[in-house]
Structure formats: C-alpha cells, structure tokens
C-alpha cells in the first residue's frame, strides 16, 4: 500500500484521540482522583493506529497489554467505554473490577481483543492459542472466515524477557502458526533499560537467526517508513508466510504510569525523546503532501471534541453496583433457567449446546479401571464434539505417560490429539486462546507439581469471567495426574488441591473411582467453566476404584457428594485416594458412620456435609494434602460456625503432616493417613 492509500485523516484523528484521552486523565482526572491508575500511550499511538488499519481479518485476534489502548480504540473500543473503565463507572470493561487500561473486545466478526491481564508477558501464549484455533477451525471445521485471519501479540521490549514470550516464540515457530509479534520498544521497562532485557537492547537483532521467524526492525520516528514496515509484517503473516516479529522503537513520552516521575532519565534524554515524538514527525511528513495543515488541525479538534463529549456522558453514568461484585466468578443461570452466556469464549457462543447427559449409571457396563474411564470418556466426547482438542506433553504418539490418551491420536488425528513442547505456560496459555476462539481445549499437565510454570495462566483464566463481567470466559478441562503412587516424592506425588480452591473461578473435581471419573469428566467437558480434573495416580489402576462403565451419556453433577456408608456415630468426609482407606477403616472398626466422598471440591457439598454432621454430631475429615490451610481447615471452619451447637466433639482432621511427599515407601507410610491411623482416629472420636 502506498502512503497515499492510507486514510491519513483517520490516522491523525485516532492518534489525537488517544493523546487527548491521556492528557485528560493525566492532567485532570488523576489529580481529581477520578482515575486511580493511569497508563499513558503517548509516543506509542502511531504504530498501534497503523497496525489497526491492517487488522481486517474477520477472525483476527489480538493478545494485548496495558499500553494497547490506542490499538483497542481503533479496533472498536468505544471512547466512552474506555473512559468509563478508567473512571470505574458502569458499563466499562469490568464494572470497576479491574484497572481501566486492561480491556477486552468480544467479537463475532472483526478483530477481537482477548482480555488483557496485568501480568507482563501473559498476552503471548493465549495469542498463540488463538492462532492455532484459526488453523484448526479453517482446516478441520471448514470455517472459511478463519482462512486469512491472523493473531497478533502486542507487547513492550521488557516483555520479551518473560517466560510467556519465549514459550510463544517456540510454539509459533515450531508449529508455523499465523502470528505476528508486535513489539514496541520504548527503551524501558518502567526504569530498567532494554539492554537489560535482551543483549545490547535489540530483540529483533537477537532473533535474526531464529529459525522459522521473519524479523523486521524499524523506528516509529520515521512514520512513513514504519507504516510500510507494518504493512509488510502483517501482510507476510496473512499471506501464509508464517510467524513474524516486528520491533519498532519509539519514545515513551510520559512516566511508565501516572505515579512515575522518570527520575531515572536525564533532562537531555527527555528532550531527545520529545524530539522523536512520532506524532510530531508524522505532521512534517504528511503536511502538506498528503494532508493540508487545516485538515490536520480539524482532525485534532475533532478528537478533542470527541473526548470532551465522552467525558460528559461518562460523568452521567452510574457507579458500579457493589452488591454485584461477587457475580460471574462462574457461569450463571438466569431466572428463566437459561445460561447467562458470556459474549465470547467456549463452544456455546457459537450456538453449540452439549446434551445434558443422564445421572443414571448403567450397572451392566464392563468393569474398567480409572484410567480407562478417563480414556473412554475422552474418546466419546472427541467423537461427538469436533471442538474438543487434547494436548500436552507425550499425549500424542505415546498416549500419555499414564496411558490416559492411548490410541486417541491414531483414531482422531494429530490436529485433535497432539504433543506439545515442554512448556506448561505454553500449554495452558494456548488453551486460553483456543477457548476464547470457540474450542473446548483439554490440556494435560503431566504431573501435579508441573502445573507450577503455568500458575499465572491458570490463575488469570480462572478470574477471566469475573474480571470481564461475563464478557469473556475460557471453559476448558485441565487434566492433572498427581498424588502418591507406590512411592512418593516431592515432584510427581503431591496433591495440593487446595491451591486450586484459592485459584478463584476454577471448578475442581477429584474422583475416587472410575464411575465418578466418567461422570465428572463428562460434566466438565460439557460444562461452561474452566475445570481442574485431578486424576489420582494410585487410583488409575487401583482395584478398589474399578467400576462398571456407566455409559456414554453418564454425568455426575458438581457439588454433590456421594454417601458411601450410612451410620449414626460420626461422619467421615474425604475425597480422592483417601476415600478407599476411610471405607476400609469404617468396615474394619465396625463403627456406624456416614462416609461422604465429596467428589468435587469446587463447589463442595456443604449441605450434605452439614446435614450429616448435624445428625451424627461428630466429624472426621481425612485428606492427603498437608494439614495447615488444607481444604479440611475450610470444611472444619464451616462446620464450626454452622453446626456449632450440634457438635458433641471437636472436629478432627487426619491428613499428611506439613512435610513434602517422601520417596521411600517406608517414609511415605509414616506420613500418609492409613487404614490403621484412620481406624484409630475413628475409635477415639467415637469414644468422646
Ligand atoms: C509478571 C509481571 N512482573 C512485573 C510487573 C510490573 N511491571 C508492570 S509494567 C513493567 C514493565 C514492562 O515494560 P515493557 O514490557 O517494556 O512495556 P512498556 O511499559 O515499556 O510499554 C513492570 C516491571 C508486572 N505487571 N507483571
């Protein structure tokens, strides 16, 4: 595209609008404390506006960051909504729940902006997921709109030092996905210069030899050249040339945020930066050749008027309703019984509603172990729902290190069941982007502790619906094997399920047997929330956990405990691998006890637990996770408050002590609750 072909009046107006908005926030709203957290894009506007002019794919998707507001404004973020967001008014991006510069743009048609997070580098792997979803939807689902669409990951120079950036870079280059890294290098990450983020401060130079990546490098202070470079970069990816990275330098013409006084820059440096202002340079390049001075001035005053009008309207908007702050942590059902559907993310937004299934198990089914239960359920759901994708380390050709996905790649192909690179952040971040793009990702984390590199993506996924007030959600099922096996160790064998219960927005299933595993996994795969599905290693082939296959439509609802023994003397509450031991302890001691297998911990069955304890007046909670702040503490706190006057004895907990899981079976036996220690605990509680 020749420079003359760009809509320069629009470019000027868009840059001026962002700048007027920044001016207003910085000089008026921040001092008035109507805005509490401000991030200026001054200096960054030109490149973002130019990029936006090339994001014309029907299903283009953008992973953005807190300085991406000019881009978002050009892609469809309404000025009024942007201002309502920073001013914490109703109708913004988050109804006052999140800082105003983290925004999102749900879209059925036209460029979509994935929900921005506060964490630097978090935008990259979800953008990769979007790119992979485009390819999947085009190739496998035959979605023509995805053919020429691309993903863009927008970040600053310091963000190229993050795990997320490198995870994304590896994935897009090995998979050759249509993604453009759009790196804006303003020379600083807050106060730390670029040369401390990448050798000699130029990520483009350093990636020049990276295989499978096209690299472009330019300077926004030469706007016409930058415009040509941006066009080239986007066009290359859209044209099928594979992933690319463009780095553009520009000055950051304000502090990092409203609080930052830039004392780390000299007066000379600030003066040089001012002289490099891309907007001022644009004027010298455009006027009068492409635009008259009068036209330029007209666009500037139009922008100022638009911002003033937006402010007047936002001042008239309500503040968010404090009573609503707890809503939308999870998918909600409206008064009419229908799901209050998010605007984007998950299969339901494309009109696909999975069948509800049946709670009735077929007792005649063949007897299977828990790993077969998982495999068979995945197999069936892959067959009935072409949007289900299974991926993780070794899940493809090998069939998973636990054999849970054995044979599924052969049956369903490499597009649907595939190995990933060894990057848990990449696995979960990719799943977030795929879910946002309308797929149902089922990532596997190979062992419980190896979810740690993905913690940031998991946490941000969990809060997505709440942060965006139901605009976005990323339903997925994360399968995580964990817990002890024949031996323990601090890496493969911890359960630490309580961490997910603090990771808000996740449903958590912890089945103790094959039948529940089928039902809970199917509920998760047909559900509308992100779910952690914990597969206990000792149960995968454990004989107690083997059950009759309950059928291809069998579902177990979340938050419903199962009552495995019924009695009067006390209540035992447990889940996962401890349920079997509790049952055996009850049977060997002969104590008359209720045994509740919670099956899911988020939500957990408070009602059944309270009802049982009110009846028996005594409670023992048994779990594998460590004692301090384990989930048993939460249950005990609820019982202590809600059933205080019904209790005849203190609530007891029997758990692993506060030590990591030890390797030697001898040491493991010392710390794990056993049938013998549970029996003793039952007897002493019953004797009080
Ligand atoms: C994971 C994480 N670590 C630290 C921060 C605090 N922080 C916010 S912005 C920032 C600098 C990022 O700089 P860069 O990526 O170059 O973007 P720029 O702000 O210059 O546009 C830092 C350290 C954060 N938000 N997230």
């Amino acid at each position: 595209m020749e420079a003359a072909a760009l809509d320069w009046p629009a470019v000027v107006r868009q840059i001026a609008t962002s700048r007027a908005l920044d001016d207003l926030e910085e000089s008026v709203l921040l001092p008035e404390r109507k805005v509490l957290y401000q991030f200026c894009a001054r200096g960054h506007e030109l490149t973002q506006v130019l990029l936006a002019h090339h994001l014309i794919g029907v299903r283009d998707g953008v992973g953005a960051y807190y300085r991406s507001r000019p881009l978002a404004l050009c892609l469809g973020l309404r000025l009024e909504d942007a201002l309502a967001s920073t001013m914490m008014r109703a109708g913004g991006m988050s109804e006052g729940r999140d800082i105003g510069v983290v925004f999102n743009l749900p879209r059925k048609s036209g460029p979509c902006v994935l929900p921005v997070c506060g964490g630097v580098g978090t935008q990259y792997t979800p953008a990769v997921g979007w790119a992979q979803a485009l390819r999947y939807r085009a190739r496998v689902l035959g979605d023509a709109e995805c053919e020429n669409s691309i993903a863009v990951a927008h970040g600053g120079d310091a963000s190229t030092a993050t795990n997320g950036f490198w995870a994304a870079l590896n994935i897009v280059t090995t998979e050759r996905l249509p993604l453009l890294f759009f790196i804006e290098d303003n020379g600083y990450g807050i106060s730390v210069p670029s040369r401390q983020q990448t050798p000699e401060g130029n990520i483009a130079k350093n990636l020049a030899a990276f295989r499978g990546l096209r690299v472009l490098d330019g300077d926004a202070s030469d706007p016409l050249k930058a415009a040509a470079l941006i066009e080239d970069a986007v066009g290359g990816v859209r044209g099928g040339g594979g992933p690319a990275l463009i780095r553009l330098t520009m000055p950051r013409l304000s502090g990092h945020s409203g609080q930052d006084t830039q004392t780390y820059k000299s007066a000379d440096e600030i003066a040089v930066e001012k002289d490099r202002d891309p907007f001022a340079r644009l004027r010298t390049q455009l006027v009068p050749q492409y635009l008259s001075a009068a036209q330029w001035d007209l666009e500037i005053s139009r922008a100022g008027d638009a911002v003033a009008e937006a402010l007047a309207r936002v001042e008239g908007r309500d503040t968010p309703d404090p009573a609503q702050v707890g809503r939308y942590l999870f998918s909600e059902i409206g008064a009419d019984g229908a799901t209050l559907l998010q605007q984007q993310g998950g299969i339901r937004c494309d009109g696909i509603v999975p069948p509800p299934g049946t709670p009735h198990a077929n007792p005649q089914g063949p007897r299977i172990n828990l790993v077969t239960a998982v495999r068979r359920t995945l197999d069936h759901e892959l067959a009935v729902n072409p949007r289900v994708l299974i991926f993780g380390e070794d899940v493809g050709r090998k069939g998973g290190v636990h054999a849970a996905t054995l044979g599924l790649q052969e049956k369903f192909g490499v597009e649907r069941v595939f190995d990933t690179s060894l990057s848990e952040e990449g696995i979960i971040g990719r799943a977030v982007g795929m879910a946002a793009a309308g797929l149902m990702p089922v990532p596997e984390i190979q062992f419980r502790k190896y979810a740690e590199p993905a913690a940031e993506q998991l946490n941000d996924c969990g809060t997505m619906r709440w942060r965006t007030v139901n605009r976005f959600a990323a339903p997925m099922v994360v399968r995580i094997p964990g817990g002890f096996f024949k031996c323990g160790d601090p890496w493969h064998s911890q359960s630490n399920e309580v961490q997910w219960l603090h990771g808000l927005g996740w449903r958590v299933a912890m089945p103790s047997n094959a039948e529940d595993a089928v039902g809970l996994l199917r509920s998760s795969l047909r559900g509308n929330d992100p779910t952690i599905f914990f597969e206990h290693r000792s149960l995968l082939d454990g004989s107690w956990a083997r059950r009759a296959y309950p059928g291809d439509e069998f579902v177990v609802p979340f938050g419903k405990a199962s009552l495995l023994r019924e009695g009067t003397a006390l209540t035992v509450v447990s889940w996962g691998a401890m349920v079997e031991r509790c049952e055996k302890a009850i049977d060997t001691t002969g104590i008359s006890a209720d045994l509740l297998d919670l099956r899911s911990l988020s939500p957990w069955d408070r009602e059944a637990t309270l009802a049982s304890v009110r009846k028996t007046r005594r409670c023992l909670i048994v779990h594998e996770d460590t004692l301090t702040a384990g989930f048993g503490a939460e249950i005990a706190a609820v019982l202590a408050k809600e059933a205080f006057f019904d209790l005849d004895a203190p609530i007891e907990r029997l758990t692993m002590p506060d030590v990591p899981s030890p390797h030697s079976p001898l040491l493991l036996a010392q710390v794990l609750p056993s049938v013998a220690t549970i029996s003793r605990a039952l007897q002493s509680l019953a004797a009080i």
Side-chain angles (χ1 to χ4, degrees):
M1 192 188 285
E2 285 298 305
L6 261 172
D7 183 356
W8 289 115
V11 170
V12 172
R13 190 172 59 253
Q14 286 161 334
I15 296 174
T17 302
S18 170
R19 205 160 273 205
L21 193 54
D22 279 339
D23 287 344
L24 172 72
E25 288 178 343
E26 229 176 21
S27 56
V28 180
L29 301 176
L30 206 55
E32 286 179 354
R33 301 200 57 74
K34 289 181 176 167
V35 165
L36 301 178
Y37 213 21
Q38 208 267 337
F39 283 88
C40 248
R42 206 178 282 117
H44 286 248
E45 310 97 330
L46 172 97
T47 42
Q48 295 184 28
V49 168
L50 292 174
L51 171 64
H53 279 246
H54 296 289
L55 296 186
I56 45 160
V58 183
R59 301 287 297 182
D60 283 354
V62 181
Y65 81 120
Y66 49 81
R67 223 178 287 288
S68 305
R69 189 165 69 183
L71 175 63
L73 285 167
C74 297
L75 295 181
L77 171 64
R78 291 171 57 221
L79 191 49
E80 193 179 325
D81 291 339
L83 200 48
S85 300
T86 52
M87 291 177 72
M88 301 163 285
R89 296 302 178 99
M93 297 293 102
S94 78
E95 297 284 331
R97 295 171 178 209
D98 204 344
I99 48 178
V101 284
V102 299
F103 44 79
N104 57 78
L105 276 183
R107 273 288 171 70
K108 290 260 182 290
S109 175
C112 155
V113 180
L114 301 179
V116 174
C117 299
V120 173
T122 47
Q123 69 273 41
Y124 289 112
T125 53
V128 170
W130 186 278
Q132 189 160 354
L134 288 176
R135 190 174 73 182
Y136 181 80
R137 291 181 68 126
R139 279 192 196 165
V140 182
L141 301 182
D143 184 344
E145 287 185 337
C146 294
E147 285 290 347
N148 296 314
S149 297
I150 66 166
V152 173
H154 181 214
D157 47 287
S159 75
T160 65
T162 62
N163 301 341
F165 174 78
W166 290 98
L169 183 62
N170 268 319
I171 298 168
V172 293
T173 47
T174 51
E175 302 277 342
R176 276 192 73 71
L177 295 173
L179 182 139
L180 174 67
F181 292 98
F182 195 83
I183 305 301
E184 297 197 317
D185 186 347
N186 60 27
Y188 287 93
I190 306 186
S191 67
V192 181
S194 308
R195 63 177 183 278
Q196 278 178 258
Q197 312 293 353
T198 190
E200 295 174 19
N202 184 339
I203 189 70
K205 235 184 191 173
N206 293 330
L207 289 174
F210 208 90
R211 309 295 290 177
L213 183 74
R214 184 163 180 247
V215 179
L216 301 95
D217 196 4
D219 180 2
S221 302
D222 187 343
L224 293 187
K225 254 197 189 159
L229 212 59
I230 291 168
E231 182 188 359
D232 187 8
V234 177
V237 179
R238 205 181 292 290
L245 177 143
I246 182 169
R247 166 194 178 247
L248 291 156
T249 52
M250 71 275 302
R252 191 190 73 205
L253 296 169
S254 309
H256 166 75
S257 64
Q259 285 79 9
D260 177 22
T261 50
Q262 303 209 79
T263 47
Y264 45 87
K265 288 183 183 171
S266 69
D268 282 353
E269 189 181 351
I270 289 176
V272 170
E273 284 190 332
K274 196 163 172 229
D275 182 53
R276 286 176 55 218
D277 179 0
F279 195 30
R281 297 286 183 97
L282 182 67
R283 192 179 193 286
T284 59
Q285 290 188 338
L286 286 189
V287 178
Q289 198 184 345
Y290 299 103
L291 215 60
S292 70
Q295 267 179 304
W296 177 280
D297 292 344
L298 179 65
E299 297 306 339
I300 307 262
S301 75
R302 277 184 175 160
D305 291 348
V307 170
E309 280 164 26
L311 176 64
R313 283 197 297 271
V314 173
E315 294 275 22
R317 283 198 194 184
D318 285 339
T319 50
D321 177 3
Q324 302 292 314
V325 73
R327 290 194 64 189
Y328 298 123
L329 202 48
F330 294 99
S331 183
E332 291 184 14
I333 305 290
D336 61 355
T339 303
L340 293 173
L341 201 56
Q342 60 273 13
Q343 291 175 46
Q344 182 147 359
I347 61 174
R348 284 169 172 75
C349 289
D350 281 349
I352 298 163
V353 183
T358 169
H360 304 296
N362 169 17
Q364 316 300 327
R367 197 170 158 78
I368 53 165
N369 61 13
L370 196 146
V371 75
T372 309
V374 169
R375 190 186 313 120
R376 206 157 158 176
T377 308
L378 292 175
D379 189 335
H380 182 76
E381 296 302 306
L382 277 163
V384 297
N385 183 355
R387 289 173 185 242
V388 171
L389 270 70
I390 296 174
F391 50 95
E393 294 153 16
D394 304 292
V395 306
R397 287 175 69 187
K398 182 174 166 62
V401 298
H402 310 278
T405 54
L406 198 65
L408 296 183
Q409 187 180 72
E410 278 165 19
K411 187 166 173 186
F412 294 98
V414 292
E415 300 274 6
R416 301 197 62 199
V417 181
F418 54 91
D419 291 325
T420 64
S421 53
L422 204 166
S423 165
E424 284 75 15
E425 159 143 17
I427 292 169
I428 301 299
R430 175 166 21 186
V432 169
M434 286 178 167
L439 303 178
M440 171 44 98
V442 188
E444 175 181 301
I445 297 291
Q446 204 161 70
F447 290 95
R448 168 67 188 86
K449 189 165 189 303
Y450 306 142
E452 284 170 15
E456 189 176 42
Q457 291 297 337
L458 286 165
N459 287 328
D460 294 347
C461 176
T463 57
M464 181 187 285
R465 186 190 296 274
W466 180 88
R467 286 184 282 124
T468 66
V469 242
N470 210 29
R471 289 159 67 88
F472 269 89
M476 67 174 72
V477 182
V478 184
R479 297 179 33 251
I480 311 183
F484 68 92
F485 187 38
K486 289 175 182 141
C487 52
D489 71 75
W491 317 110
H492 308 85
S493 306
Q494 61 168 255
S495 63
N496 193 11
E497 61 272 18
V498 74
Q499 195 170 344
W500 310 124
L501 302 160
H502 244 210
L504 301 173
W506 284 92
R507 304 208 301 173
V508 180
M510 239 176 136
S512 69
N513 64 74
E515 180 182 313
D516 288 347
V518 169
L520 288 165
L521 183 55
R522 179 162 293 110
S523 286
S524 311
L525 291 164
R526 296 183 181 183
N528 192 34
D529 282 306
T531 305
I532 303 279
F533 187 81
F534 195 96
E535 295 166 13
H536 200 285
R537 293 167 66 218
S538 76
L539 300 177
L540 290 175
D541 192 32
S543 55
W544 183 89
R546 293 178 195 168
R547 302 291 151 95
Y549 179 65
D552 287 341
E553 289 303 313
F554 179 65
V555 290
V556 167
F558 274 66
K560 290 274 172 259
S562 80
L563 184 63
L564 300 184
R565 289 288 181 276
E566 214 169 337
T568 53
L570 52 82
T571 298
V572 181
V573 181
S574 194
W575 54 91
M578 291 297 112
V579 174
E580 173 187 359
R581 294 176 181 209
C582 291
E583 190 180 275
K584 286 182 174 152
I586 290 169
D587 292 349
T588 46
T589 56
I591 288 174
S592 169
D594 272 4
L595 171 56
L596 283 173
D597 175 357
L598 287 185
R599 307 198 286 190
S600 73
L601 299 180
S602 169
W604 66 284
D605 198 339
R606 289 164 61 109
E607 291 68 31
T609 307
L610 277 166
S612 171
V613 173
R614 284 190 177 122
K615 178 187 76 174
T616 66
R617 311 180 76 86
R618 286 174 170 79
C619 183
L620 170 68
I621 303 156
V622 183
H623 63 65
E624 176 180 344
D625 200 357
T626 49
L627 179 72
T628 303
F631 195 60
E634 172 65 21
I635 297 173
V638 169
L639 291 174
K641 180 168 181 343
E642 305 285 333
F644 184 75
F645 294 106
D646 300 301
L647 289 168
D648 284 344
I651 300 156
E652 287 291 343
R653 286 179 291 158
L654 185 62
T655 72
M656 285 260 282
D658 291 340
V659 294
S661 177
H663 182 51
S664 150
L666 192 69
L667 302 183
L668 185 66
Q670 174 69 21
V671 292
L672 269 184
S674 63
V675 175
T677 56
I678 298 169
S679 298
R680 280 200 293 278
L682 288 176
Q683 281 158 338
S684 59
L685 184 60
I688 290 176

